[in-house]
Coordinates of all heavy atoms in Angstrom, one line a residue:
P1 N 0.8 -1.2 0.0 CA 0.0 0.0 0.0 C 0.9 1.3 0.0 O 2.0 1.3 0.5 CB -0.8 -0.1 1.3 CG -0.2 -1.2 2.1 CD 0.6 -2.0 1.2
Q2 N 0.3 2.3 -0.5 CA 1.1 3.6 -0.6 C 1.2 4.2 0.8 O 2.2 4.9 1.1 CB 0.4 4.6 -1.6 CG 0.5 4.1 -3.0 CD -0.2 5.1 -3.9 OE1 -0.9 6.0 -3.5 NE2 -0.1 4.9 -5.2
D3 N 0.1 4.1 1.6 CA 0.2 4.7 3.0 C 0.5 3.6 4.0 O 0.1 2.4 3.8 CB -1.2 5.3 3.3 CG -1.5 6.5 2.4 OD1 -0.6 7.2 2.0 OD2 -2.7 6.7 2.1
R4 N 1.2 4.0 5.0 CA 1.5 3.0 6.1 C 0.3 2.7 6.9 O -0.5 3.6 7.1 CB 2.6 3.6 7.0 CG 3.9 3.8 6.3 CD 4.9 4.4 7.3 NE 5.0 3.6 8.5 CZ 6.1 2.8 8.8 NH1 7.1 2.8 8.0 NH2 6.1 2.1 9.9
F5 N 0.2 1.5 7.3 CA -0.9 1.1 8.2 C -0.8 1.7 9.6 O 0.3 1.6 10.1 CB -1.0 -0.4 8.2 CG -2.2 -0.9 9.0 CD1 -3.5 -0.9 8.4 CD2 -2.0 -1.5 10.2 CE1 -4.6 -1.3 9.1 CE2 -3.1 -2.0 10.9 CZ -4.4 -1.9 10.4
D6 N -1.8 2.3 10.1 CA -1.7 2.8 11.5 C -1.9 1.7 12.5 O -2.9 1.1 12.7 CB -2.8 3.9 11.6 CG -2.8 4.6 13.0 OD1 -1.8 4.4 13.7 OD2 -3.7 5.4 13.3
T7 N -0.8 1.4 13.2 CA -0.8 0.4 14.2 C -0.9 0.9 15.6 O -0.7 0.2 16.6 CB 0.5 -0.5 14.1 OG1 1.6 0.4 14.2 CG2 0.6 -1.2 12.8
A8 N -1.2 2.2 15.8 CA -1.3 2.8 17.1 C -2.4 2.2 17.9 O -3.5 1.9 17.4 CB -1.4 4.3 17.0
Y9 N -2.2 2.1 19.3 CA -3.3 1.7 20.2 C -4.1 2.9 20.4 O -3.6 4.0 20.5 CB -2.7 1.2 21.5 CG -3.7 1.2 22.6 CD1 -4.5 0.0 22.7 CD2 -3.9 2.2 23.5 CE1 -5.5 0.0 23.7 CE2 -4.8 2.1 24.5 CZ -5.7 1.0 24.6 OH -6.6 0.9 25.6
R10 N -5.4 2.7 20.4 CA -6.3 3.9 20.6 C -7.3 3.6 21.8 O -7.6 2.4 22.1 CB -7.2 4.1 19.4 CG -6.4 4.6 18.2 CD -7.2 4.7 16.9 NE -6.4 5.1 15.8 CZ -6.1 6.4 15.5 NH1 -6.5 7.4 16.3 NH2 -5.3 6.7 14.5
G11 N -7.6 4.6 22.5 CA -8.5 4.5 23.6 C -9.0 5.8 24.1 O -8.8 6.8 23.3
Q12 N -9.6 5.9 25.2 CA -10.1 7.2 25.8 C -9.7 7.2 27.2 O -9.7 6.2 27.9 CB -11.6 7.3 25.6 CG -12.0 7.5 24.1 CD -13.5 7.9 24.0 OE1 -14.3 7.8 25.0 NE2 -13.9 8.3 22.8
R13 N -9.5 8.4 27.7 CA -9.2 8.7 29.1 C -10.0 9.9 29.6 O -10.2 10.8 28.8 CB -7.7 8.9 29.4 CG -6.8 7.8 29.0 CD -7.0 6.6 30.0 NE -6.0 5.6 29.8 CZ -6.1 4.6 28.9 NH1 -7.2 4.5 28.1 NH2 -5.2 3.6 28.9
V14 N -10.4 9.9 30.9 CA -11.0 11.1 31.5 C -9.9 11.8 32.3 O -9.2 11.2 33.0 CB -12.2 10.7 32.4 CG1 -12.8 11.9 33.1 CG2 -13.3 10.0 31.6
V15 N -9.9 13.1 32.1 CA -8.9 14.0 32.8 C -9.3 14.1 34.3 O -10.4 14.5 34.6 CB -8.8 15.4 32.1 CG1 -7.8 16.2 32.9 CG2 -8.5 15.2 30.7
S16 N -8.3 13.8 35.1 CA -8.6 13.9 36.6 C -8.6 15.3 37.1 O -8.3 16.3 36.3 CB -7.4 13.1 37.3 OG -6.2 13.8 37.2
L17 N -9.0 15.5 38.3 CA -9.2 16.9 38.9 C -7.8 17.6 38.9 O -7.8 18.9 39.0 CB -9.8 16.8 40.3 CG -11.2 16.4 40.3 CD1 -11.7 16.2 41.8 CD2 -12.1 17.3 39.6
D18 N -6.7 16.9 38.9 CA -5.4 17.6 38.9 C -4.8 17.7 37.6 O -3.6 17.9 37.4 CB -4.5 17.0 40.0 CG -4.2 15.5 39.7 OD1 -4.9 14.9 38.8 OD2 -3.4 14.9 40.5
A19 N -5.6 17.5 36.5 CA -5.2 17.6 35.1 C -4.1 16.6 34.7 O -3.2 16.9 34.0 CB -4.7 19.0 34.8
Y20 N -4.4 15.3 35.0 CA -3.5 14.2 34.5 C -4.4 13.2 33.9 O -5.6 13.0 34.3 CB -2.7 13.6 35.6 CG -1.6 14.5 36.1 CD1 -1.7 15.4 37.1 CD2 -0.3 14.3 35.5 CE1 -0.6 16.1 37.6 CE2 0.8 15.1 35.9 CZ 0.6 16.0 36.9 OH 1.7 16.7 37.3
V21 N -3.9 12.3 33.0 CA -4.5 11.1 32.6 C -3.6 10.0 32.9 O -2.3 10.1 32.9 CB -4.9 11.1 31.1 CG1 -5.9 12.2 30.8 CG2 -3.7 11.3 30.2
S22 N -4.1 8.8 33.2 CA -3.3 7.7 33.6 C -3.2 6.7 32.4 O -4.2 6.4 31.8 CB -3.9 6.9 34.8 OG -3.1 5.9 35.1
I23 N -2.0 6.3 32.0 CA -1.7 5.4 30.9 C -0.7 4.4 31.4 O 0.4 4.8 31.8 CB -1.2 6.1 29.7 CG1 -2.2 7.2 29.2 CG2 -1.0 5.1 28.6 CD1 -1.7 8.2 28.2
D24 N -1.1 3.1 31.5 CA -0.2 2.1 32.0 C 0.4 2.4 33.3 O 1.6 2.2 33.5 CB 0.9 1.8 30.9 CG 0.3 1.2 29.6 OD1 -0.8 0.6 29.7 OD2 0.9 1.4 28.6
G25 N -0.3 3.0 34.2 CA 0.2 3.3 35.6 C 1.0 4.5 35.7 O 1.6 4.8 36.8
V26 N 1.2 5.3 34.6 CA 1.9 6.5 34.6 C 0.9 7.6 34.4 O 0.1 7.5 33.5 CB 3.0 6.5 33.5 CG1 3.8 7.8 33.6 CG2 4.0 5.3 33.8
R27 N 1.1 8.7 35.1 CA 0.2 9.9 35.0 C 0.9 10.9 34.1 O 2.0 11.3 34.4 CB -0.1 10.5 36.3 CG -0.8 9.4 37.2 CD -1.1 9.8 38.6 NE -2.2 10.7 38.5 CZ -2.3 11.9 39.1 NH1 -1.3 12.3 39.9 NH2 -3.4 12.6 39.0
Y28 N 0.2 11.4 33.0 CA 0.7 12.4 32.1 C -0.2 13.6 32.2 O -1.4 13.5 32.2 CB 0.7 11.8 30.7 CG 1.6 10.6 30.4 CD1 1.1 9.3 30.6 CD2 2.9 10.8 30.0 CE1 2.0 8.2 30.4 CE2 3.7 9.7 29.8 CZ 3.3 8.5 30.0 OH 4.1 7.4 29.8
S29 N 0.5 14.8 32.2 CA -0.2 16.0 32.3 C -1.0 16.4 31.0 O -0.5 16.1 29.9 CB 0.7 17.2 32.7 OG 1.6 17.5 31.7
V30 N -2.0 17.1 31.2 CA -2.8 17.8 30.1 C -3.1 19.2 30.5 O -3.1 19.5 31.7 CB -4.0 17.0 29.7 CG1 -3.7 15.6 29.2 CG2 -5.0 16.9 30.8
P31 N -3.5 20.1 29.6 CA -3.9 21.4 30.0 C -5.0 21.4 31.0 O -6.0 20.7 30.9 CB -4.3 22.1 28.6 CG -3.5 21.3 27.6 CD -3.5 19.9 28.1
G32 N -4.9 22.3 32.0 CA -5.8 22.4 33.1 C -7.2 22.6 32.8 O -8.1 22.2 33.5
H33 N -7.5 23.3 31.7 CA -8.9 23.6 31.3 C -9.7 22.4 30.9 O -10.9 22.4 30.7 CB -9.0 24.7 30.3 CG -8.5 24.3 28.9 ND1 -7.1 24.3 28.6 CD2 -9.1 23.8 27.8 CE1 -7.0 23.9 27.4 NE2 -8.2 23.6 26.9
L34 N -9.0 21.2 30.7 CA -9.6 20.0 30.3 C -10.1 19.1 31.4 O -10.6 18.0 31.2 CB -8.7 19.2 29.4 CG -8.3 20.0 28.1 CD1 -7.2 19.3 27.4 CD2 -9.5 20.1 27.2
V35 N -10.0 19.5 32.7 CA -10.3 18.7 33.8 C -11.8 18.2 33.6 O -12.7 19.0 33.3 CB -10.2 19.5 35.1 CG1 -10.9 18.8 36.3 CG2 -8.8 19.8 35.4
G36 N -11.9 16.9 33.8 CA -13.3 16.3 33.7 C -13.7 15.9 32.3 O -14.7 15.2 32.2
Q37 N -12.9 16.3 31.3 CA -13.3 16.0 30.0 C -12.7 14.6 29.5 O -11.7 14.1 30.0 CB -12.8 17.0 29.0 CG -13.5 18.4 29.2 CD -13.2 19.4 28.2 OE1 -12.8 19.0 27.0 NE2 -13.2 20.6 28.5
R38 N -13.4 14.0 28.5 CA -12.9 12.8 28.0 C -12.0 13.1 26.8 O -12.3 13.9 25.9 CB -14.1 11.9 27.5 CG -13.7 10.6 26.9 CD -15.0 9.7 26.7 NE -15.8 9.6 27.8 CZ -15.6 8.6 28.8 NH1 -14.6 7.8 28.7 NH2 -16.4 8.5 29.8
L39 N -10.8 12.4 26.8 CA -9.8 12.7 25.7 C -9.6 11.4 24.9 O -9.7 10.3 25.5 CB -8.5 13.1 26.2 CG -8.5 14.5 27.0 CD1 -7.1 14.8 27.5 CD2 -9.0 15.6 26.1
S40 N -9.3 11.5 23.7 CA -8.9 10.4 22.8 C -7.4 10.1 23.0 O -6.6 11.1 22.9 CB -9.2 10.8 21.4 OG -9.6 9.8 20.6
L41 N -7.0 8.9 23.1 CA -5.6 8.5 23.3 C -5.1 7.8 22.1 O -5.8 6.9 21.5 CB -5.6 7.6 24.6 CG -4.3 6.7 24.7 CD1 -3.1 7.6 25.0 CD2 -4.5 5.7 25.8
R42 N -3.9 8.1 21.7 CA -3.3 7.4 20.6 C -1.8 7.1 21.0 O -1.0 8.0 21.2 CB -3.3 8.2 19.3 CG -2.7 7.5 18.1 CD -3.0 8.4 16.9 NE -2.5 7.7 15.7 CZ -1.3 8.0 15.2 NH1 -0.6 8.9 15.6 NH2 -0.9 7.3 14.1
L43 N -1.5 5.8 21.3 CA -0.2 5.4 21.7 C 0.5 4.7 20.5 O 0.1 3.7 20.1 CB -0.3 4.4 22.9 CG 1.0 3.8 23.4 CD1 2.0 4.9 23.8 CD2 0.6 2.9 24.6
Q44 N 1.5 5.4 20.0 CA 2.1 4.9 18.8 C 3.3 4.0 19.1 O 3.8 4.0 20.2 CB 2.7 6.1 18.0 CG 1.7 7.2 17.6 CD 2.3 8.4 17.1 OE1 1.6 9.3 16.8 NE2 3.6 8.6 16.9
L45 N 3.6 3.1 18.2 CA 4.7 2.1 18.4 C 6.0 2.8 18.6 O 6.9 2.2 19.2 CB 4.7 1.1 17.2 CG 3.5 0.2 17.1 CD1 3.7 -0.7 15.8 CD2 3.4 -0.7 18.3
D46 N 6.2 4.0 18.1 CA 7.5 4.7 18.3 C 7.6 5.3 19.7 O 8.6 6.0 20.0 CB 7.7 5.7 17.2 CG 6.7 6.9 17.2 OD1 5.8 6.9 18.1 OD2 6.8 7.7 16.4
G47 N 6.6 5.1 20.5 CA 6.7 5.6 21.9 C 6.1 6.9 22.2 O 6.2 7.4 23.3
W48 N 5.5 7.5 21.2 CA 4.8 8.8 21.5 C 3.3 8.6 21.8 O 2.7 7.7 21.3 CB 4.9 9.7 20.2 CG 6.2 10.3 20.1 CD1 7.3 9.9 19.3 CD2 6.7 11.5 20.8 NE1 8.3 10.7 19.5 CE2 8.1 11.7 20.4 CE3 6.2 12.3 21.8 CZ2 8.8 12.7 20.9 CZ3 6.9 13.3 22.3 CH2 8.3 13.5 21.8
I49 N 2.9 9.4 22.8 CA 1.5 9.4 23.2 C 0.9 10.7 22.7 O 1.4 11.8 23.0 CB 1.4 9.3 24.7 CG1 2.0 8.0 25.2 CG2 0.0 9.5 25.2 CD1 2.2 7.9 26.7
E50 N -0.3 10.6 22.1 CA -1.0 11.8 21.7 C -2.4 11.8 22.4 O -3.0 10.8 22.3 CB -1.2 11.9 20.2 CG 0.0 12.3 19.4 CD -0.3 12.5 17.9 OE1 -1.3 12.1 17.4 OE2 0.6 13.1 17.2
L51 N -2.7 12.9 23.0 CA -4.1 13.0 23.6 C -4.8 14.2 22.8 O -4.2 15.2 22.6 CB -3.9 13.4 25.1 CG -3.3 12.2 25.8 CD1 -2.6 12.7 27.1 CD2 -4.4 11.2 26.2
A52 N -6.0 13.9 22.4 CA -6.8 14.8 21.6 C -8.2 15.0 22.2 O -8.7 14.0 22.8 CB -6.9 14.4 20.2
D53 N -8.7 16.2 22.1 CA -10.1 16.3 22.5 C -11.0 15.6 21.5 O -10.5 15.1 20.5 CB -10.5 17.8 22.6 CG -10.4 18.6 21.3 OD1 -10.4 18.0 20.2 OD2 -10.3 19.8 21.4
L54 N -12.3 15.5 21.8 CA -13.2 14.7 21.0 C -13.4 15.3 19.6 O -13.9 14.6 18.7 CB -14.5 14.4 21.7 CG -14.3 13.5 23.0 CD1 -15.6 13.2 23.6 CD2 -13.5 12.2 22.7
A55 N -13.0 16.6 19.4 CA -13.1 17.2 18.1 C -11.9 16.8 17.2 O -11.8 17.1 16.0 CB -13.2 18.7 18.2
G56 N -10.9 16.1 17.9 CA -9.7 15.7 17.1 C -8.5 16.6 17.3 O -7.4 16.3 16.7
T57 N -8.6 17.7 18.0 CA -7.4 18.6 18.2 C -6.5 18.0 19.2 O -6.9 17.7 20.4 CB -7.9 19.9 18.7 OG1 -8.9 20.4 17.7 CG2 -6.8 20.9 18.8
V58 N -5.2 17.8 18.9 CA -4.2 17.3 19.8 C -3.9 18.3 20.9 O -3.6 19.5 20.6 CB -2.9 16.9 19.1 CG1 -1.8 16.5 20.0 CG2 -3.2 15.8 18.1
V59 N -4.1 17.9 22.1 CA -4.0 18.9 23.3 C -2.7 18.6 24.1 O -2.3 19.4 24.8 CB -5.2 18.9 24.2 CG1 -6.4 19.4 23.4 CG2 -5.5 17.5 24.7
A60 N -2.1 17.4 23.9 CA -0.9 17.1 24.6 C -0.2 15.9 23.9 O -0.8 15.1 23.3 CB -1.2 16.6 26.1
R61 N 1.1 16.0 24.0 CA 2.0 15.0 23.3 C 3.1 14.7 24.3 O 3.8 15.6 24.7 CB 2.5 15.5 22.0 CG 3.1 14.5 21.1 CD 3.2 15.0 19.7 NE 3.5 13.9 18.8 CZ 4.7 13.6 18.3 NH1 5.7 14.5 18.5 NH2 4.9 12.6 17.5
H62 N 3.3 13.4 24.6 CA 4.3 13.0 25.6 C 5.1 11.8 25.0 O 4.5 11.0 24.2 CB 3.7 12.5 26.9 CG 3.1 13.6 27.7 ND1 3.8 14.4 28.5 CD2 1.7 13.9 27.8 CE1 2.9 15.2 29.1 NE2 1.7 15.0 28.7
R63 N 6.3 11.7 25.4 CA 7.1 10.5 25.1 C 6.8 9.5 26.2 O 6.8 9.8 27.3 CB 8.6 10.9 25.1 CG 9.5 9.7 24.9 CD 9.3 9.1 23.5 NE 10.3 9.4 22.6 CZ 10.4 8.8 21.4 NH1 9.5 7.9 21.1 NH2 11.3 9.1 20.5
K64 N 6.4 8.3 25.8 CA 6.1 7.3 26.8 C 7.3 7.0 27.7 O 8.4 6.8 27.2 CB 5.7 6.0 26.1 CG 5.2 4.9 27.1 CD 4.5 3.8 26.4 CE 4.1 2.7 27.2 NZ 3.5 2.9 28.5
T65 N 7.1 7.1 29.0 CA 8.2 6.9 29.9 C 8.5 5.5 30.2 O 7.6 4.6 30.2 CB 7.9 7.7 31.2 OG1 9.1 7.7 32.0 CG2 6.8 7.1 32.0
T66 N 9.7 5.2 30.6 CA 10.1 3.9 31.0 C 10.8 4.0 32.3 O 11.3 5.0 32.7 CB 11.0 3.2 30.0 OG1 12.2 4.0 29.8 CG2 10.3 3.0 28.6
G67 N 10.9 2.9 33.0 CA 11.6 3.0 34.3 C 10.7 3.3 35.5 O 9.5 3.0 35.4
D68 N 11.3 4.0 36.5 CA 10.5 4.3 37.7 C 9.7 5.6 37.7 O 9.0 5.9 38.6 CB 11.5 4.4 38.9 CG 12.1 3.0 39.2 OD1 11.5 2.0 38.8 OD2 13.2 3.0 39.7
Q69 N 9.8 6.3 36.6 CA 9.1 7.6 36.6 C 7.6 7.3 36.5 O 7.1 6.6 35.6 CB 9.5 8.4 35.4 CG 8.9 9.8 35.3 CD 9.5 10.7 34.2 OE1 10.2 10.2 33.4 NE2 9.1 11.9 34.2
R70 N 6.8 7.9 37.4 CA 5.4 7.6 37.5 C 4.5 8.8 37.2 O 3.3 8.7 37.0 CB 5.0 7.1 38.9 CG 5.5 5.7 39.2 CD 4.8 4.7 38.4 NE 5.7 3.6 37.9 CZ 5.7 3.1 36.8 NH1 4.9 3.4 35.8 NH2 6.6 2.1 36.5
V71 N 5.1 10.0 37.1 CA 4.4 11.2 36.8 C 5.2 12.0 35.8 O 6.4 12.3 36.0 CB 4.1 12.1 38.0 CG1 3.4 13.4 37.7 CG2 3.4 11.3 39.1
V72 N 4.6 12.4 34.7 CA 5.2 13.2 33.6 C 4.4 14.5 33.5 O 3.2 14.5 33.2 CB 5.3 12.5 32.3 CG1 5.9 13.3 31.2 CG2 6.0 11.1 32.4
T73 N 5.1 15.6 33.7 CA 4.4 16.9 33.8 C 5.1 17.9 32.8 O 6.3 18.1 32.8 CB 4.5 17.5 35.2 OG1 3.9 16.6 36.1 CG2 3.7 18.8 35.3
I74 N 4.3 18.6 32.0 CA 4.7 19.8 31.3 C 4.1 21.0 32.0 O 2.9 21.1 32.2 CB 4.2 19.7 29.8 CG1 4.8 18.5 29.1 CG2 4.5 21.0 29.1 CD1 4.2 18.3 27.7
A75 N 5.0 21.8 32.5 CA 4.7 22.9 33.4 C 3.6 23.8 32.8 O 2.7 24.3 33.5 CB 5.9 23.8 33.8
D76 N 3.6 24.1 31.5 CA 2.6 25.0 30.9 C 1.2 24.4 31.0 O 0.3 25.2 31.0 CB 3.0 25.2 29.4 CG 4.2 26.1 29.2 OD1 4.6 26.8 30.2 OD2 4.7 26.1 28.1
H77 N 1.1 23.1 31.1 CA -0.2 22.5 31.2 C -0.9 22.9 32.5 O -2.1 23.1 32.6 CB -0.1 21.0 31.3 CG 0.2 20.4 29.9 ND1 0.6 19.1 29.7 CD2 0.2 20.9 28.7 CE1 0.8 18.9 28.5 NE2 0.5 20.0 27.8
H78 N -0.2 23.2 33.6 CA -0.8 23.5 34.9 C -0.6 24.9 35.3 O -1.1 25.3 36.4 CB -0.1 22.6 36.0 CG -0.5 21.2 35.8 ND1 0.3 20.2 36.3 CD2 -1.5 20.5 35.1 CE1 -0.3 19.0 36.0 NE2 -1.3 19.2 35.2
A79 N -0.1 25.8 34.4 CA 0.0 27.2 34.7 C -1.3 27.9 35.1 O -1.3 28.6 36.1 CB 0.7 27.9 33.5
A80 N -2.4 27.6 34.4 CA -3.7 28.2 34.7 C -4.2 27.7 36.1 O -4.7 28.4 36.9 CB -4.7 27.9 33.6
L81 N -3.9 26.4 36.4 CA -4.4 25.9 37.7 C -3.6 26.5 38.8 O -4.2 26.9 39.9 CB -4.1 24.4 37.8 CG -5.0 23.5 36.8 CD1 -4.6 22.1 36.9 CD2 -6.5 23.7 37.2
W82 N -2.3 26.7 38.7 CA -1.5 27.3 39.7 C -1.9 28.8 39.9 O -1.8 29.3 41.0 CB 0.0 27.2 39.5 CG 0.5 25.9 39.8 CD1 1.0 24.9 38.9 CD2 0.6 25.3 41.1 NE1 1.3 23.8 39.6 CE2 1.1 24.0 40.9 CE3 0.3 25.7 42.4 CZ2 1.4 23.1 42.0 CZ3 0.6 24.9 43.5 CH2 1.1 23.6 43.3
S83 N -2.3 29.5 38.9 CA -2.7 30.9 39.0 C -3.9 31.0 39.9 O -4.2 32.1 40.4 CB -2.9 31.5 37.7 OG -4.0 31.0 37.0
Q84 N -4.7 30.0 40.0 CA -6.0 30.0 40.8 C -5.7 29.6 42.3 O -6.6 29.8 43.1 CB -7.0 29.0 40.2 CG -7.4 29.4 38.8 CD -8.3 28.3 38.2 OE1 -8.7 27.4 38.9 NE2 -8.5 28.3 36.9
V85 N -4.5 29.1 42.6 CA -4.2 28.7 44.0 C -4.1 30.0 44.8 O -3.4 30.9 44.5 CB -3.0 27.9 44.0 CG1 -2.6 27.6 45.5 CG2 -3.2 26.6 43.3
R86 N -4.8 30.0 45.9 CA -4.7 31.1 46.9 C -4.2 30.6 48.2 O -4.7 29.7 48.8 CB -6.1 31.8 47.1 CG -6.7 32.3 45.8 CD -5.9 33.5 45.3 NE -6.5 34.0 44.1 CZ -5.9 34.0 42.9 NH1 -4.7 33.6 42.9 NH2 -6.5 34.5 41.9
V87 N -3.1 31.2 48.7 CA -2.5 30.8 50.0 C -3.0 31.8 51.0 O -2.8 33.0 50.8 CB -1.0 30.7 49.9 CG1 -0.4 30.4 51.2 CG2 -0.6 29.7 48.8
Q88 N -3.4 31.3 52.1 CA -3.9 32.2 53.2 C -2.6 32.8 53.9 O -1.8 32.0 54.3 CB -4.8 31.5 54.2 CG -5.3 32.4 55.3 CD -6.2 31.6 56.2 OE1 -6.4 30.4 56.1 NE2 -6.8 32.3 57.1
A89 N -2.6 34.1 54.1 CA -1.4 34.7 54.8 C -1.9 34.9 56.2 O -2.9 35.5 56.5 CB -1.1 36.0 54.1
R90 N -1.0 34.5 57.1 CA -1.3 34.7 58.6 C 0.0 35.3 59.2 O 1.1 34.9 58.8 CB -1.6 33.4 59.2 CG -2.7 32.6 58.7 CD -2.9 31.3 59.5 NE -3.9 30.5 58.8 CZ -4.1 29.2 59.2 NH1 -3.4 28.7 60.1 NH2 -5.0 28.6 58.5
G91 N -0.2 36.0 60.3 CA 0.9 36.5 61.1 C 1.4 35.4 61.9 O 0.7 34.4 62.2
L92 N 2.6 35.5 62.4 CA 3.1 34.4 63.3 C 2.4 34.4 64.6 O 2.5 33.3 65.3 CB 4.6 34.7 63.5 CG 5.5 34.5 62.2 CD1 6.9 34.9 62.5 CD2 5.4 33.1 61.7
D93 N 1.7 35.4 65.0 CA 0.9 35.4 66.3 C -0.1 34.2 66.3 O -0.4 33.7 67.3 CB 0.2 36.7 66.5 CG 1.2 37.9 66.7 OD1 2.4 37.6 67.0 OD2 0.8 39.0 66.5
Y94 N -0.6 33.9 65.1 CA -1.6 32.8 65.0 C -1.0 31.5 65.5 O -1.7 30.8 66.3 CB -2.1 32.7 63.6 CG -2.9 31.4 63.3 CD1 -4.3 31.5 63.6 CD2 -2.4 30.3 62.9 CE1 -5.1 30.4 63.4 CE2 -3.1 29.1 62.7 CZ -4.5 29.2 63.0 OH -5.3 28.1 62.8
Y95 N 0.2 31.2 65.2 CA 0.8 30.0 65.6 C 1.2 30.0 67.1 O 1.2 28.9 67.7 CB 2.1 29.7 64.7 CG 1.7 29.5 63.3 CD1 1.9 30.5 62.4 CD2 1.1 28.4 62.8 CE1 1.5 30.4 61.1 CE2 0.7 28.2 61.5 CZ 0.9 29.2 60.6 OH 0.5 29.1 59.3
A96 N 1.4 31.1 67.7 CA 1.7 31.2 69.1 C 0.4 30.8 69.9 O 0.5 30.2 70.9 CB 2.2 32.5 69.5
E97 N -0.7 31.2 69.4 CA -2.0 31.0 70.0 C -2.4 29.5 70.0 O -3.0 29.0 70.9 CB -3.1 31.8 69.4 CG -3.0 33.3 69.6 CD -4.0 34.0 68.8 OE1 -5.0 33.4 68.3 OE2 -3.9 35.3 68.6
V98 N -2.0 28.8 68.9 CA -2.4 27.4 68.7 C -1.6 26.5 69.7 O -2.1 25.6 70.2 CB -2.1 27.0 67.2 CG1 -2.3 25.5 67.1 CG2 -3.0 27.8 66.3
S99 N -0.3 26.8 69.9 CA 0.5 25.9 70.7 C 0.3 26.1 72.2 O -0.4 26.3 72.9 CB 2.0 26.0 70.4 OG 2.4 27.4 70.4

């Protein structure tokens, strides 16, 4: 045939609340605005993982990890989530009262 046969594994994953999807026991980051959404997974034989929204737009691409690494994060994926984090500021007097 003129075109190569696509031998990639395909599936779907739901994005967790912390903007990761799990593939073979490893968690891969996706953009934070996709939390709760279902994504299309394409795991190629050359070791690349593509995650796309259901419209077909690729939203994340990772190299499949080997070894002990269990979490793969691209910082830009979580930038929007970190901007929403609010840390409560307290004076040190608060801790003196607690103890």
Side-chain angles (χ1 to χ4, degrees):
Q2 291 181 354
D3 296 327
R4 293 180 56 109
F5 184 73
D6 184 6
T7 56
Y9 167 81
R10 294 177 182 274
Q12 290 188 349
R13 297 292 188 275
V14 175
V15 180
S16 66
L17 292 175
D18 57 356
Y20 285 93
V21 295
S22 182
I23 302 167
D24 296 334
V26 179
R27 302 178 74 226
Y28 295 91
S29 67
V30 297
H33 69 276
L34 297 170
V35 167
Q37 293 187 30
R38 184 172 301 277
L39 298 180
S40 211
L41 161 68
R42 185 168 180 263
L43 176 55
Q44 301 171 184
L45 290 178
D46 64 1
W48 282 100
I49 297 169
E50 284 185 348
L51 294 153
D53 61 19
L54 295 182
T57 304
V58 175
V59 295
R61 192 164 193 254
H62 293 277
R63 177 62 103 168
K64 186 166 174 42
T65 187
T66 58
D68 292 336
Q69 188 175 5
R70 294 286 144 221
V71 178
V72 179
T73 305
I74 295 174
D76 288 345
H77 286 167
H78 293 159
L81 293 176
W82 281 112
S83 70
Q84 296 172 12
V85 172
R86 300 291 177 243
V87 178
Q88 183 178 6
R90 300 179 189 170
L92 293 177
D93 296 340
Y94 171 83
Y95 297 101
E97 293 173 14
V98 173
S99 48

